[in-house]
Amino acid sequence: FTRHDAYEKSGQTAEEVDAELARMERLLLTDRNRDWADAVDRESARGGPILLAVGALHLPGETGLLRLLEQRGFALTRLDGAGSVTPP
């Protein structure tokens, strides 16, 4: 279901569709990313390694989990598909 489909088939105006999609993005991505970043902060205070698995859509952008963790001072290391560290 795309934005274009929603414009054509939802029975809502374009403005209503855009507002609903923005709300869904906030609820499903932005707010959850902030909650996860808070949880990582709490867990890091306990010490030990942290493993966090999320869907790819949660990673990029200014409100993405990678940026949020960097802003909190976490050092992120990219792994290639074989599990090897890729230099920054």
Side-chain angles (χ1 to χ4, degrees):
F1 196 73
T2 66
R3 183 180 299 266
H4 181 72
D5 291 329
Y7 289 152
E8 289 187 359
K9 300 173 184 175
S10 70
Q12 295 180 316
T13 66
E15 292 79 17
E16 290 170 328
V17 168
D18 290 343
E20 185 63 18
L21 291 173
R23 185 179 80 84
M24 296 305 292
E25 180 178 340
R26 181 182 50 79
L27 292 172
L28 296 175
L29 293 173
T30 306
D31 291 352
R32 288 171 71 195
N33 289 348
R34 288 191 180 114
D35 290 345
W36 283 334
D38 290 343
V40 170
D41 265 343
R42 284 191 303 274
E43 288 301 312
S44 71
R46 296 173 64 186
I50 299 170
L51 173 65
L52 178 66
V54 300
L57 196 55
H58 290 279
L59 300 177
E62 289 303 310
T63 60
L65 201 48
L66 296 177
R67 176 76 64 216
L68 294 175
L69 292 174
E70 284 178 329
Q71 289 171 346
R72 293 166 185 244
F74 287 89
L76 306 177
T77 303
R78 182 181 198 127
L79 302 177
D80 66 18
S84 300
V85 174
T86 302

